[in-house]
Amino acid sequence: MGIVTDQSPATLQPAETGLVMSDIEAFAERLNSYLEPEQINLVRRAYYYAEQAHDGQTRRSGEPYVTHPLAVAGILAEMHMDYQSLMAAMLHDVIEDTGIPKTALEKQFGATVAELVDGVSKLTQMDFETKAEAQAENFQKMALAMAKDIRVILVKLADRLHNMRTLGALRPDKRRRIAKETLEIYAPIAHRLGMHTLSTEFEDLGFKAMHPMRSTMIDRAVRSARGHRKELLNKILDALQALLDQHQLPGKVMGREKHLYGIYQKMRGKRKAFSDIMDVYAFRIIVDTPDTCYRVLGAVHSLYKPFPGRFKDYIAIPKANGYQSLHTTLFGLHGVPIEIQIRTEEMEETANSGIAAHWLYKSKDDVINGHHARTRKWLKGVLEMQERAGNSLEFIENVKIDLFPDEVYIFTPKGRIMELAKGSTPVDFAYAVHTDIGNSCIACRVNRRLAPLSEPLQSGQTVEIITAPGARPNPAWLTFVTTGKARSNIRHFLKHQRHAESVALGERLLDKVLTGFETRLADISEQRINSVLAEYGLELMEDLLADIGLGNRMAYVVARRLLLNDSQQDQAADEHAQAEYESDAALAVKGTEGMVVSFARCCNPIPGDPIIGLTSVGRGLEIHQENCRDLSQRKVQPDSTLQLTWDKDVSGEFTVELQVELEQQRGIIAQLATSTNMADASIDKISVDERDGRISIVQLVVRVRDRLHLSQLIKRLRALNGVMRITRLKN
Ligand code: MN
């Protein structure tokens, strides 16, 4: 552990390791070719800071730890990366390995560098180890999604490259783990970014570490084949060069060998024998302009016969990562296949360095161009090439998704990766896992800590959903979910739920009225029911009951239609029934009716209060206190109100609002709260309104079971010293 001091290590003299000292100076010397002196100084400061922070740490090889960040910066300097990337490279293991917080780096080197270091640390902490190879692609995307700044990826790639180059010092199992991760995650990322040289080195180093025997065998075979091939190779090379001269086409021809891992993959994937692969002679011709590429192509096709179906024009239609070239295969002498790539110098550079090529050719004056501009320029270039080629939108989408994912990647507790739209919440995640999980979710843990269900998720988090049997989706979720799946499932559930509850209420309302006519729904003939349904234009009794429950139809009117022909009851009986219905045939409210029964906010009825129901179209039944002032002021149709009673077994908690007048004294509000809790009532809201210096008015919104419970609560509060008056607020 390095010692963290408030004093900036960068202002201290370097430790007495003369060797390291000269290393950094030699490095700074190299930067002179493309960076300003002030920028080089900042890089130097970052180096000294890292040296101090890693003081006492060594690499597995025994060297001081700081040699590693210096080497990483060296790799980036070869790509001519900007000074901030180099500073981040110097500091890239500081947060992870020395415990110095991001804020300290921010103070010392500014927000951008701190942000880069933090991004690299997050990628380092990521546990990419996984058994499921199918996940590899998601891991790549996750890595890209986590890096808001593409330079984070480039620093991480350089870090990984140096680690791969020095892998030998590690234990075999660790070596294999890192190699596997490199082959599955980092080599493909380098490939996506068009960095061919880098991805090739990753692959060969990874291959060597994963399969040392196979790698050695192929290497040996390649060396021996090279000897046998040399004569023929040179012959073709000379013939091609002579051809260019003859046609006065400027260009240079070079022989090309497949890299070890490439050969291995071909042998495995295409089940080819080593000799078949090595029998191919491959060349690259580098020319000055795209136009020359096509003329060279014409010339080589006149020299040897082309293989049908093997010509590829990646100049007109570049690959997704920006790669451009012409590919063709020819029948050489004695039918030996000759593979030829033709491209310009610039295409060659892009093919090797990909996105990094844009840093490579940065001149000293080109300072204004930020990395974002560069990334965009690269992407734009790729897109423009594609557009000129008139290719599909799908391609552009792919490039964008590859480089700037609009998704977040989340781990399940078992390590599976879920891909979700940006902004997704734990509820979205729950529905993505399974509809039932979504419907019954009640809470969640994000990275093992309880978190709100509405909190947007970040790539790399592990999310665990807590469910409860019988739990239901909350309508409020609709305000924050972002995925279509969650939204439609919640809506569907609520609609279904509401329908079921409306039917149940409708049936109770209808039966209540029918009881007044001394009959029951079950006694009415199917024939009669069907003819009433036909009159209303409905198909199912269920729909009619739902209509009643929702307040769209009056139970009384429906009952009369049902009875019209069935019984020959006369007007008198009818009136008798109506009277009875209005007097004592009150419906009992249980409090568990669900969405179709609601308790009015104006008067907050609680069990024990005399109540009345108001049916309104589409909204079901709203329960008010009988003497609700709001209700009497509203001009409601008498026949849309309904006599109600409370059921014997009411369940649930009901809201009441109390106003407490009290004398101001220290701690009285706390006592009020404590007493409320002691009375087993829960407080929803408490607000204090001072009237003058001495007397305060407290508004208390509490939840109680019923009137009895409320009176117990009020009694308890009255007993408090200083409480003068308590009133229950209605309207
Ligand atoms: Mn490192």
Side-chain angles (χ1 to χ4, degrees):
M1 271 292 164
I3 296 153
V4 186
T5 53
D6 280 336
Q7 198 186 2
S8 154
T11 61
L12 300 175
Q13 284 308 302
E16 303 91 78
T17 41
L19 195 73
V20 176
M21 166 85 184
S22 66
D23 279 354
I24 172 67
E25 286 316 320
F27 177 65
E29 194 67 31
R30 274 166 54 204
L31 299 181
N32 264 324
S33 68
Y34 77 101
L35 291 181
E36 300 293 337
E38 316 87 83
Q39 295 176 333
I40 297 172
N41 264 334
L42 285 169
V43 175
R44 207 187 259 118
R45 260 185 62 197
Y47 169 83
Y48 286 130
Y49 189 97
E51 186 185 49
Q52 179 83 8
H54 291 294
D55 188 28
Q57 297 176 349
T58 53
R59 298 204 88 208
R60 196 37 78 109
S61 61
E63 295 165 290
Y65 194 85
V66 74
T67 56
H68 165 62
L70 182 61
V72 173
I75 291 167
L76 293 168
E78 270 165 43
M79 305 181 197
H80 282 201
M81 292 295 296
D82 67 306
Y83 72 101
Q84 288 176 321
S85 303
L86 300 186
M87 291 170 74
M90 295 294 191
L91 300 164
H92 80 270
D93 279 328
V94 162
I95 293 181
E96 173 81 0
D97 290 351
T98 74
I100 291 176
K102 180 184 168 191
T103 47
L105 293 183
E106 196 175 323
K107 234 167 147 186
Q108 198 60 232
F109 300 106
T112 310
V113 172
E115 213 42 75
L116 289 174
V117 175
D118 188 50
V120 177
S121 303
K122 284 205 176 110
L123 283 178
T124 306
Q125 282 160 12
M126 201 80 253
D127 184 11
F128 284 126
E129 196 178 358
T130 165
K131 283 170 201 93
E133 285 196 19
Q135 296 209 110
E137 194 180 342
N138 274 340
F139 272 122
Q140 297 160 24
K141 288 188 185 168
M142 182 187 274
L144 289 167
M146 284 171 66
K148 286 174 217 119
D149 187 326
I150 197 75
R151 289 180 298 177
V152 168
I153 295 286
L154 297 180
V155 174
K156 183 65 204 172
L157 291 177
D159 173 37
R160 177 50 58 106
L161 183 60
H162 185 243
N163 285 336
M164 288 300 292
R165 283 177 179 171
T166 54
L167 209 53
L170 297 181
R171 279 204 323 264
D173 60 323
K174 201 168 179 202
R175 212 185 297 167
R176 260 197 308 278
R177 183 180 67 75
I178 293 178
K180 184 164 186 275
E181 191 181 280
T182 302
L183 287 175
E184 285 180 355
I185 314 291
Y186 290 102
I189 287 180
H191 181 74
R192 273 166 198 263
L193 296 175
M195 304 167 84
H196 181 73
T197 310
L198 185 58
S199 72
T200 304
E201 189 172 352
F202 273 150
E203 287 185 348
D204 280 348
L205 290 171
F207 178 43
K208 213 164 127 194
M210 279 291 281
H211 305 292
M213 297 290 278
R214 288 176 226 188
S215 150
T216 309
M217 267 168 55
I218 293 179
D219 189 32
R220 213 174 284 151
V222 167
R223 278 170 208 277
S224 93
R226 206 177 278 152
H228 305 139
R229 285 160 41 103
K230 201 165 183 182
E231 199 184 332
L232 185 50
L233 191 93
N234 283 336
K235 233 178 181 168
I236 304 170
L237 200 82
D238 291 344
L240 286 170
Q241 192 63 59
L243 180 76
L244 294 189
D245 296 345
Q246 184 199 327
H247 287 81
Q248 293 181 342
L249 293 164
K252 56 177 192 272
V253 186
M254 47 187 133
R256 197 165 55 82
E257 268 185 6
K258 286 205 161 50
H259 67 297
L260 297 187
Y261 190 63
I263 295 170
Y264 174 65
Q265 277 183 313
K266 265 219 158 113
M267 289 171 69
R268 257 181 52 152
K270 299 194 176 165
R271 302 201 166 277
K272 278 195 173 176
F274 178 76
S275 58
D276 288 348
I277 296 166
M278 288 312 283
D279 271 352
V280 177
Y281 289 78
F283 300 88
R284 184 172 299 151
I285 304 176
I286 308 286
V287 299
D288 53 354
T289 65
D291 184 58
T292 312
C293 292
Y294 291 102
R295 286 194 288 139
V296 168
L297 179 77
V300 298
H301 279 185
S302 69
L303 182 63
Y304 301 116
K305 214 170 150 226
F307 246 82
R310 292 286 285 277
F311 168 64
K312 297 252 165 55
D313 186 350
Y314 293 120
I315 293 181
I317 302 171
K319 286 191 182 179
N321 56 17
Y323 175 87
Q324 285 187 294
S325 189
L326 297 178
H327 290 187
T328 189
T329 306
L330 312 164
F331 291 106
L333 301 169
H334 318 297
V336 173
I338 302 172
E339 281 179 8
I340 296 188
Q341 300 176 342
I342 307 163
R343 57 178 76 152
T344 65
E345 197 81 56
E346 204 187 327
M347 292 173 192
E348 167 79 351
E349 196 46 65
T350 306
N352 290 330
S353 309
I355 197 168
H358 287 270
W359 274 278
L360 199 53
Y361 287 119
K362 184 181 151 186
S363 67
K364 274 193 176 184
D365 322 318
D366 195 11
V367 241
I368 326 142
N369 259 347
H371 57 283
H372 270 307
R374 256 158 226 293
T375 313
R376 243 180 280 125
K377 206 169 121 201
W378 178 75
L379 183 63
K380 209 173 139 231
V382 171
L383 295 182
E384 271 170 7
M385 286 188 280
Q386 206 60 31
E387 232 162 73
R388 277 200 302 275
N391 213 359
S392 65
L393 265 176
E394 192 190 341
F395 163 83
I396 296 172
E397 273 314 303
N398 281 337
V399 176
K400 271 203 301 203
I401 289 167
D402 278 3
L403 284 184
F404 306 104
D406 276 329
E407 288 84 26
V408 289
Y409 296 87
I410 306 297
F411 288 105
T412 68
K414 284 186 181 158
R416 196 153 68 94
I417 299 176
M418 306 289 296
E419 179 184 324
L420 294 165
K422 217 174 226 168
S424 286
T425 62
V427 173
D428 292 291
F429 172 82
Y431 277 103
V433 174
H434 197 280
T435 306
D436 291 344
I437 305 274
N439 281 340
S440 59
C441 91
I442 51 164
C444 72
R445 287 197 188 90
V446 173
N447 291 342
R448 299 213 187 88
R449 283 210 203 115
L450 280 172
L453 284 173
S454 60
E455 192 175 278
L457 298 171
Q458 310 287 330
S459 277
Q461 288 176 331
T462 300
V463 179
E464 182 192 346
I465 296 295
I466 301 164
T467 59
R472 303 163 170 192
N474 184 334
W477 292 352
L478 287 171
T479 60
F480 59 71
V481 294
T482 56
T483 56
K485 186 171 186 201
R487 188 169 297 279
S488 65
N489 272 311
I490 296 167
R491 285 228 179 92
H492 179 260
F493 186 96
L494 292 176
K495 205 173 142 196
H496 187 79
Q497 177 83 11
R498 191 178 160 86
H499 180 75
E501 287 168 0
S502 314
V503 171
L505 178 66
E507 189 168 358
R508 286 179 67 197
L509 290 170
L510 186 59
D511 241 348
K512 204 82 212 165
V513 179
L514 289 171
T515 313
F517 290 103
E518 284 161 356
T519 178
R520 279 169 29 211
L521 189 54
D523 297 333
I524 296 179
S525 74
E526 198 176 320
Q527 200 187 3
R528 184 62 210 146
I529 287 177
N530 284 336
S531 89
V532 171
L533 286 176
E535 272 176 50
Y536 287 135
L538 295 171
E539 268 183 33
L540 299 170
M541 188 58 186
E542 198 181 285
D543 297 332
L544 180 59
L545 293 175
D547 265 0
I548 297 171
L550 285 171
N552 296 340
R553 283 177 207 284
M554 304 279 301
Y556 178 71
V557 175
V558 174
R560 281 191 52 172
R561 294 231 60 78
L562 284 170
L563 295 171
L564 205 60
N565 282 0
D566 248 28
S567 63
Q568 295 303 318
Q569 277 166 340
D570 55 14
Q571 196 75 18
D574 201 0
E575 273 164 14
H576 162 76
Q578 164 108 43
E580 185 158 338
Y581 164 59
E582 280 180 351
S583 62
D584 57 296
L587 189 76
V589 173
K590 287 193 175 85
T592 51
E593 285 82 358
M595 281 175 277
V596 283
V597 171
S598 58
F599 297 93
R601 290 285 171 89
C602 49
C603 54
N604 290 325
I606 63 173
D609 290 333
I611 47 172
I612 188 167
L614 176 69
T615 55
S616 49
V617 176
R619 298 228 308 265
L621 193 59
E622 194 176 63
I623 300 173
H624 291 259
Q625 291 200 40
E626 212 168 60
N627 55 5
C628 173
R629 230 189 307 146
D630 236 43
L631 198 58
S632 60
Q633 277 163 7
R634 271 197 263 171
K635 288 192 185 74
V636 291
Q637 301 287 331
D639 56 2
S640 67
T641 61
L642 205 59
Q643 290 255 341
L644 294 175
T645 61
W646 293 97
D647 195 272
K648 282 196 297 294
D649 306 311
V650 189
S651 61
E653 286 187 317
F654 299 83
T655 306
V656 284
E657 202 172 339
L658 300 178
Q659 177 175 298
V660 185
E661 284 173 54
L662 43 79
E663 272 180 78
Q664 193 60 277
Q665 15 178 305
R666 185 182 290 270
I668 180 94
I669 303 295
Q671 283 177 38
L672 212 59
T674 312
S675 296
T676 308
N677 279 330
M678 300 272 283
D680 201 23
S682 48
I683 299 179
D684 271 357
K685 213 174 114 186
I686 185 162
S687 59
V688 184
D689 175 21
E690 240 173 273
R691 192 159 284 182
D692 55 42
R694 255 170 5 90
I695 294 174
S696 295
I697 306 288
V698 178
Q699 310 278 8
L700 202 58
V701 179
V702 292
R703 269 180 287 160
V704 295
R705 288 185 296 275
D706 50 25
R707 268 175 86 105
L708 182 66
H709 188 195
L710 177 64
S711 71
Q712 286 162 351
L713 170 67
I714 291 178
K715 204 166 146 196
R716 222 178 231 276
L717 297 183
R718 271 213 187 101
L720 285 175
N721 224 340
V723 170
M724 292 150 55
R725 213 155 79 111
I726 302 180
T727 25
R728 176 175 173 198
L729 295 181
K730 296 173 190 174
N731 305 113

Tab-separated table of all heavy atoms in Angstrom, residues 96 148 174 287 378 476 486 500 684 708 712:
chain	number	residue	atom	x	y	z
A	96	GLU	N	-7.786	1.459	-7.966
A	96	GLU	CA	-7.981	0.031	-7.710
A	96	GLU	C	-6.982	-0.524	-6.686
A	96	GLU	O	-7.349	-1.273	-5.794
A	96	GLU	CB	-7.834	-0.708	-9.057
A	96	GLU	CG	-7.834	-2.205	-8.978
A	96	GLU	CD	-9.239	-2.787	-8.884
A	96	GLU	OE1	-10.196	-1.989	-8.888
A	96	GLU	OE2	-9.355	-4.011	-8.772
A	148	LYS	N	-18.031	5.769	-21.071
A	148	LYS	CA	-18.688	6.868	-21.763
A	148	LYS	C	-17.714	7.519	-22.731
A	148	LYS	O	-18.077	8.115	-23.725
A	148	LYS	CB	-19.196	7.892	-20.749
A	148	LYS	CG	-20.418	7.410	-20.011
A	148	LYS	CD	-20.798	8.405	-18.915
A	148	LYS	CE	-21.307	7.680	-17.687
A	148	LYS	NZ	-20.522	7.905	-16.483
A	174	LYS	N	-4.091	-18.459	-13.287
A	174	LYS	CA	-4.402	-17.053	-13.480
A	174	LYS	C	-4.100	-16.653	-14.930
A	174	LYS	O	-4.838	-15.888	-15.559
A	174	LYS	CB	-3.583	-16.200	-12.516
A	174	LYS	CG	-4.198	-14.839	-12.315
A	174	LYS	CD	-3.599	-14.062	-11.171
A	174	LYS	CE	-4.278	-12.710	-11.075
A	174	LYS	NZ	-3.477	-11.718	-10.371
A	287	VAL	N	-0.950	0.575	-52.729
A	287	VAL	CA	-0.828	1.537	-53.833
A	287	VAL	C	-1.186	2.941	-53.354
A	287	VAL	O	-1.455	3.145	-52.173
A	287	VAL	CB	-1.733	1.127	-55.018
A	287	VAL	CG1	-1.319	-0.243	-55.535
A	287	VAL	CG2	-3.191	1.141	-54.601
A	378	TRP	N	-14.311	9.320	-36.862
A	378	TRP	CA	-14.060	7.963	-37.318
A	378	TRP	C	-15.357	7.281	-37.707
A	378	TRP	O	-15.492	6.720	-38.777
A	378	TRP	CB	-13.384	7.172	-36.198
A	378	TRP	CG	-13.131	5.741	-36.549
A	378	TRP	CD1	-12.167	5.261	-37.387
A	378	TRP	CD2	-13.861	4.603	-36.101
A	378	TRP	NE1	-12.250	3.904	-37.469
A	378	TRP	CE2	-13.287	3.461	-36.690
A	378	TRP	CE3	-14.946	4.434	-35.242
A	378	TRP	CZ2	-13.749	2.180	-36.460
A	378	TRP	CZ3	-15.406	3.146	-35.016
A	378	TRP	CH2	-14.807	2.042	-35.618
A	476	ALA	N	-48.620	2.847	-9.981
A	476	ALA	CA	-47.610	3.910	-9.995
A	476	ALA	C	-46.366	3.500	-10.780
A	476	ALA	O	-45.615	4.348	-11.252
A	476	ALA	CB	-47.223	4.277	-8.562
A	486	ALA	N	-42.554	-4.384	-19.725
A	486	ALA	CA	-43.042	-4.082	-18.383
A	486	ALA	C	-44.354	-3.308	-18.479
A	486	ALA	O	-45.347	-3.639	-17.831
A	486	ALA	CB	-42.003	-3.280	-17.609
A	500	ALA	N	-62.019	-8.078	-13.248
A	500	ALA	CA	-62.461	-9.105	-12.307
A	500	ALA	C	-63.145	-8.464	-11.100
A	500	ALA	O	-64.178	-8.947	-10.629
A	500	ALA	CB	-61.269	-9.950	-11.862
A	684	ASP	N	-48.766	9.195	8.190
A	684	ASP	CA	-48.448	9.407	6.781
A	684	ASP	C	-47.778	10.751	6.582
A	684	ASP	O	-46.901	10.913	5.750
A	684	ASP	CB	-49.728	9.378	5.935
A	684	ASP	CG	-50.053	7.967	5.487
A	684	ASP	OD1	-49.244	7.066	5.791
A	684	ASP	OD2	-51.108	7.770	4.858
A	708	LEU	N	-63.183	3.000	16.460
A	708	LEU	CA	-62.769	2.649	17.812
A	708	LEU	C	-61.267	2.915	17.976
A	708	LEU	O	-60.817	3.536	18.944
A	708	LEU	CB	-63.085	1.165	18.073
A	708	LEU	CG	-62.743	0.679	19.480
A	708	LEU	CD1	-63.628	1.367	20.520
A	708	LEU	CD2	-62.902	-0.847	19.575
A	712	GLN	N	-59.329	5.640	20.470
A	712	GLN	CA	-58.233	5.281	21.380
A	712	GLN	C	-57.023	6.176	21.142
A	712	GLN	O	-56.365	6.632	22.076
A	712	GLN	CB	-57.824	3.816	21.171
A	712	GLN	CG	-58.824	2.829	21.745
A	712	GLN	CD	-58.647	1.437	21.156
A	712	GLN	OE1	-57.884	1.240	20.200
A	712	GLN	NE2	-59.370	0.476	21.720
